[in-house]
Amino acid sequence: MEYILHYDVAAIFIICVVGILFYSKKYFPSPSNRAFSFLLINLLISSVSDLVSVYGIENADTFPVGLNYIISILFYISYNLCAVIYLYYTMTLVKIVNTKLGRRLRQLLLAVGTFVILYIGSTPFTRTVFYFENGEYMHGNGNYILIPLGMLEIGGAMILSLWAQKRITLSQKLTTYAFGIMIACGIVIQIRFPQYLIVNFLGSIMLLLIFQTLQNPSEYISPDTGIYNQKAFLEMLDMQFVKNKSLTILAFQLEGFQFVDQFMGAENGNNLLSSVSTDCSNNLQGTLYHLDGTRFALILNAECPRIQENIEWLNWRFLSTFKVCGVAVSLVPRICAVNYPQIAKNKEEMLNAIHYALKEAKDKNSTDVVWASLEAIEEQKRSTMVNHILSRAVINREFEVYYQPIYCTRDTSFRASEALIRLRDEKLGFISPEEFIPIAEQNGLILEIGDIVFTKVCEFIASGVPEKLGVQYIEVNLSVVQCMQESLHQHLTEIMDKYGVPYHMIDFEITETFANGDTGTLVKNMNELISLGCTFAMDDYGTGFSNNDYLMEFPFKLIKLDKSFVWSTLSSEKASKILTHTVAMMKSLELLIVAEGVETAEQKEMLERLQCDYLQGYYFSKPLPEQEYVAYLQNAEQFLAELNRPKKAPKRQTRRKSVKKSDKTESNEIE
Ligand code: C2E
Ligand code: CA
Ligand code: CA
């Protein structure tokens, strides 16, 4: 029979071209890249050995028979292993290699491959696949086993991609089907016309197609930096995770590019990023991955001393500047480390942990490495959630305002109250203002939140109910961020005017942290509002760095003794003396005093003895929703009478009852 060799020659040419294109790019050892590499080499061996074996067969009478056997065996083995490797390649595409099913299939493929090698390799003794007799090449019956086996494997690959069609893209699906159909057609043609050595040629065409559509090596390379990208990072993590060894992911984010982009153009920014990443990639130990933006990561063995060396190198390198258009630019690295499996058990958790740990490093404004901890991640996650909830709550005006009655010791009645904001979320339940106010101050939503609270308070005052019940003023908390707004006084006045609120009915509370800001703006705002009739109270006196200079510098009318200050007097005689002297000093400055956190009759009596003007605390009531607060004031006399009655068992019960009522109001929120 005269074999037509042109197809094999063309196959070798095509495979070589694909090979050059594939290996000339940075090769990433992902499972699919490895399987493709096997397929390519195997197909090349199959095509070359096919060509050489034909020469050997045609000249069998002169060609050494041993060599003829070796070459033909090589051809048959590589030819038949193509389908086995192709099935494995499909497994990598549908990403089941490391699953339970994948492990079973791998064992099966290994068994099939071993069988193919032994079956074909033993043919000189068994004469099953082929043999040489009297200088002539003879076919055995082995193809009756090998061809159906190959068809089964190719069919298996097609069934696999059909089964996992949701996991693969359309082009992956089409390519796997096309490969199967082409090879099956090739086998049929070659059985019918054995002189046409067409299967390897069709295989090489499919290899080219796979390379073009699925196996593009640049999909693992970041176009901005030329190093491996996040996809490569995640696939490498997957490969490392199955080894079940402890890992440490060292990630870092570079800050300072904004300056370059803004003042020297985005192109210079990109060039800088590219050269910095090449520098890092060349000097850091381990493979560097470009995650996104200016974030990079290294996957290291957990016990590896290179972690510390890498950290030291990063800190050392970024001490010096980078030259961009003749300008020295400083970049700051924020570095974090995440341990697998202690902190992150899978890819998603790992990306999350890196994100939060880098955020923590940035918030801390430190170049020290932040070791990700589960608590910190939870905290950051919650803060992100609260951020979202706040944005939604501002849009839908979901906030409520509660009122906590304030007792006037001179009048022995409730003459004031403090407006306190409340936020509830379906998932997180009650969120304390102590948690969300600082977040709102950071993201700027505090201005709108402040408006919502103040508008609600004005609406309430405008209803006339508080005044009718003897309330002289309502205390409204102002955040430092609000106080820094130059137009604050105009803005607040507009709201008060809109509802016709008498100015004297508003007392604004400001905490002493205001001293860190622009005090000139604050004093201006205060004076404007005071000139209308509003008053101001200094909140949280006795915490932090209470500085009495503020009392002279700012026109406060009231001082609110913080609850922690009040409580400390119970346990410490020194604190009690400090409180006594503080109150006396305030009195001499003609400041009115509000004591917060009054929880017991003893505290009330002690504070009354000291001549505090106002008392506020759970002893009287917790903060209440508007309607309950109104009801409380309506029954105030009764409540006070019960509180003042000598402590006998039934009376205490009644007091508890009243507290319980308010307890109920807040218990859902606080616990
Ligand atoms: P703050 O201004 O010191 O408010 C007093 C806090 O003490 C309130 O907590 C109140 O419920 C609580 N409290 C009052 N009496 C007692 C007591 O006897 N025992 C105990 N254990 N606690 C008592 P709340 O409502 O959780 O508010 C916390 C902080 O959130 C406030 O501290 C204030 O700084 C801030 N905040 C609340 N509402 C607003 C608001 O509308 N705007 C701004 N900017 N901040 C607010
Ligand atoms: Ca307050
Ligand atoms: Ca306070």
Side-chain angles (χ1 to χ4, degrees):
M1 180 168 41
E2 186 86 354
Y3 287 105
I4 297 171
L5 302 175
H6 305 76
Y7 293 107
D8 265 344
V9 175
I12 293 169
F13 179 73
I14 294 170
I15 296 165
C16 285
V17 169
V18 174
I20 290 167
L21 291 175
F22 183 66
Y23 293 110
S24 63
K25 291 260 171 68
K26 209 169 173 169
Y27 171 76
F28 181 69
S30 69
S32 65
N33 268 353
R34 273 197 200 142
F36 181 79
S37 192
F38 279 140
L39 197 62
L40 189 145
I41 293 168
N42 195 66
L43 209 56
L44 185 65
I45 295 173
S46 170
S47 308
V48 174
S49 57
D50 196 13
L51 207 62
V52 180
S53 71
V54 166
Y55 177 80
I57 289 166
E58 283 177 350
N59 302 290
D61 45 347
T62 53
F63 213 72
V65 69
L67 196 60
N68 243 347
Y69 265 115
I70 291 173
I71 294 165
S72 290
I73 285 172
L74 195 64
F75 161 68
Y76 269 103
I77 289 178
S78 52
Y79 182 79
N80 281 285
L81 282 185
C82 273
V84 178
I85 300 171
Y86 178 64
L87 179 52
Y88 177 71
Y89 176 69
T90 314
M91 281 168 60
T92 65
L93 282 189
V94 299
K95 297 201 166 52
I96 59 158
V97 177
N98 292 318
T99 63
K100 216 170 162 188
L101 172 70
R103 275 193 287 276
R104 290 221 179 108
L105 274 175
R106 259 158 55 191
Q107 283 167 353
L108 188 69
L109 287 186
L110 202 67
V112 172
T114 313
F115 166 76
V116 166
I117 292 170
L118 292 178
Y119 187 69
I120 299 170
S122 63
T123 205
F125 315 104
T126 56
R127 298 189 159 198
T128 41
V129 185
F130 67 90
Y131 55 94
F132 289 93
E133 202 169 62
N134 304 327
E136 233 183 278
Y137 173 85
M138 310 292 281
H139 275 292
N141 294 326
N143 274 339
Y144 294 118
I145 291 181
L146 292 173
I147 290 176
L149 193 64
M151 291 290 210
L152 215 63
E153 286 149 10
I154 287 168
M158 289 168 80
I159 291 170
L160 201 60
S161 51
L162 197 72
W163 168 75
Q165 52 178 314
K166 282 199 181 129
R167 291 194 215 180
I168 54 177
T169 60
L170 184 67
S171 56
Q172 284 176 326
K173 238 182 292 175
L174 292 179
T175 312
T176 46
Y177 297 155
F179 191 99
I181 293 166
M182 283 267 253
I183 299 296
C185 291
I187 291 172
V188 172
I189 293 171
Q190 203 157 350
I191 292 172
R192 180 72 187 81
F193 307 103
Q195 69 274 30
Y196 292 108
L197 305 175
I198 201 165
V199 178
N200 282 327
F201 173 67
L202 293 179
S204 69
I205 298 277
M206 284 319 300
L207 198 75
L208 183 66
L209 188 70
I210 292 177
F211 174 74
Q212 270 304 311
T213 53
L214 312 183
Q215 226 41 53
N216 186 357
S218 50
E219 70 180 324
Y220 290 104
I221 308 292
S222 153
D224 299 330
T225 55
I227 62 172
Y228 289 135
N229 59 13
Q230 188 175 96
K231 184 178 162 81
F233 173 72
L234 294 177
E235 290 215 8
M236 185 50 87
L237 276 185
D238 257 347
M239 285 187 263
Q240 297 297 323
F241 286 170
V242 289
K243 292 184 188 161
N244 252 340
K245 274 193 190 152
S246 298
L247 300 171
T248 297
I249 311 304
L250 195 66
F252 61 94
Q253 174 162 17
L254 299 174
E255 281 176 16
F257 281 94
Q258 227 174 345
F259 170 79
V260 182
D261 287 346
Q262 209 170 338
F263 296 104
M264 296 166 206
E267 203 181 325
N268 280 318
N270 291 343
N271 292 342
L272 177 64
L273 180 68
S274 171
S275 69
V276 169
S277 77
T278 309
D279 192 13
C280 291
S281 175
N282 291 341
N283 289 289
L284 287 168
Q285 303 182 43
T287 308
L288 185 68
Y289 297 84
H290 181 194
L291 297 184
D292 54 32
T294 61
R295 301 193 308 163
F296 298 84
L298 293 149
I299 303 173
L300 301 167
N301 203 315
E303 287 91 38
C304 180
R306 294 189 299 180
I307 299 172
Q308 203 45 43
E309 287 167 25
N310 280 334
I311 294 169
E312 280 165 19
W313 185 85
L314 280 171
N315 278 323
W316 168 82
R317 178 64 191 90
F318 290 96
L319 276 180
S320 27
T321 53
F322 295 83
K323 274 258 168 353
V324 183
C325 305
V327 178
V329 174
S330 294
L331 297 176
V332 182
R334 306 285 177 212
I335 311 170
C336 78
V338 185
N339 281 335
Y340 165 86
Q342 297 87 336
I343 305 298
K345 287 181 204 61
N346 54 42
K347 287 185 293 189
E348 288 73 35
E349 284 185 11
M350 183 56 77
L351 283 182
N352 253 331
I354 291 173
H355 172 78
Y356 289 123
L358 284 178
K359 190 168 176 296
E360 192 185 331
K362 192 177 171 182
D363 291 346
K364 281 184 179 163
N365 196 16
S366 151
T367 49
D368 291 343
V369 60
V370 167
W371 286 84
S373 72
L374 291 175
E375 300 74 42
I377 293 171
E378 273 316 306
E379 220 172 85
Q380 294 272 3
K381 263 190 201 163
R382 187 171 163 103
S383 150
T384 311
M385 267 165 97
V386 171
N387 243 308
H388 287 304
I389 294 167
L390 277 180
S391 312
R392 188 203 62 207
V394 165
I395 294 169
N396 303 330
R397 298 179 83 81
E398 284 169 31
F399 299 97
E400 272 186 86
V401 175
Y402 277 33
Y403 296 89
Q404 186 174 29
I406 296 178
Y407 176 77
C408 172
T409 52
R410 200 169 21 127
D411 294 7
T412 64
S413 61
F414 297 102
R415 288 277 172 253
S417 66
E418 179 173 4
L420 293 157
I421 191 166
R422 293 292 176 263
L423 173 63
R424 201 184 298 268
D425 175 68
E426 262 181 26
K427 219 162 139 198
L428 296 191
F430 169 76
I431 307 171
S432 162
E434 302 213 15
E435 181 180 5
F436 73 77
I437 294 285
I439 296 175
E441 283 176 336
Q442 261 182 22
N443 65 19
L445 286 175
I446 189 68
L447 297 177
E448 286 173 79
I449 293 174
D451 276 5
I452 294 173
V453 172
F454 193 55
T455 307
K456 287 194 184 232
V457 171
C458 287
E459 274 171 355
F460 182 41
I461 295 175
S463 71
V465 177
E467 209 169 0
K468 239 184 258 161
L469 292 166
V471 174
Q472 291 169 343
Y473 66 90
I474 293 183
E475 298 182 349
V476 177
N477 291 283
L478 285 185
S479 147
V480 190
V481 181
Q482 285 173 283
C483 298
M484 293 308 130
Q485 310 295 310
E486 280 188 13
S487 58
L488 177 77
H489 64 276
Q490 289 156 347
H491 187 64
L492 295 177
T493 312
E494 273 167 26
I495 300 177
M496 287 188 282
D497 289 348
K498 182 176 167 198
Y499 292 94
V501 168
Y503 302 125
H504 64 84
M505 284 203 73
I506 302 286
D507 175 77
F508 294 107
E509 293 187 9
I510 311 171
T511 63
E512 57 181 345
T513 42
F514 61 75
N516 303 328
D518 175 2
T519 50
T521 308
L522 175 66
V523 173
K524 196 166 168 272
N525 276 322
M526 285 175 89
N527 283 332
E528 292 284 348
L529 289 161
I530 288 169
S531 69
L532 295 175
C534 298
T535 53
F536 278 82
M538 187 206 247
D539 204 358
D540 299 339
Y541 187 89
T543 58
F545 308 94
S546 306
N547 187 334
N548 292 329
D549 288 352
Y550 304 150
L551 299 179
M552 291 181 281
E553 198 178 332
F554 299 96
F556 287 115
K557 184 174 175 193
L558 291 109
I559 299 297
K560 289 195 83 171
L561 306 180
D562 190 69
K563 46 186 178 285
S564 59
F565 189 21
V566 172
W567 295 340
S568 65
T569 56
L570 286 181
S571 52
S572 146
E573 206 164 304
K574 248 189 194 168
S576 168
K577 279 186 185 157
I578 293 173
L579 181 73
T580 310
H581 285 100
T582 304
V583 173
M585 178 192 68
M586 305 282 185
K587 292 258 134 199
S588 68
L589 291 170
E590 294 182 353
L591 290 160
L592 293 171
I593 298 164
V594 187
E596 222 183 52
V598 183
E599 290 192 345
T600 62
E602 294 77 54
Q603 286 170 344
K604 175 187 175 256
E605 279 154 25
M606 184 258 300
L607 292 160
E608 274 178 329
R609 256 198 321 275
L610 289 177
Q611 293 184 341
C612 285
D613 304 278
Y614 296 97
L615 307 179
Q616 175 184 358
Y618 293 177
Y619 175 72
F620 302 104
S621 169
K622 284 190 171 181
L624 301 167
E626 195 178 292
Q627 288 310 313
E628 284 185 38
Y629 167 65
V630 170
Y632 185 91
L633 289 188
Q634 282 163 344
N635 298 304
E637 273 182 29
Q638 193 192 330
F639 284 133
L640 285 172
E642 282 168 6
L643 285 171
N644 288 332
R645 234 171 266 166
K647 283 179 196 163
K648 280 185 199 159
K651 283 167 202 158
R652 262 194 76 80
Q653 229 174 12
T654 337
R655 174 184 116 50
R656 262 199 233 121
K657 217 172 168 184
S658 76
V659 173
K660 238 185 193 160
K661 181 175 178 287
S662 48
D663 262 355
K664 204 175 153 203
T665 311
E666 287 227 321
S667 61
N668 305 337
E669 334 168 317
I670 293 168
E671 266 89 43

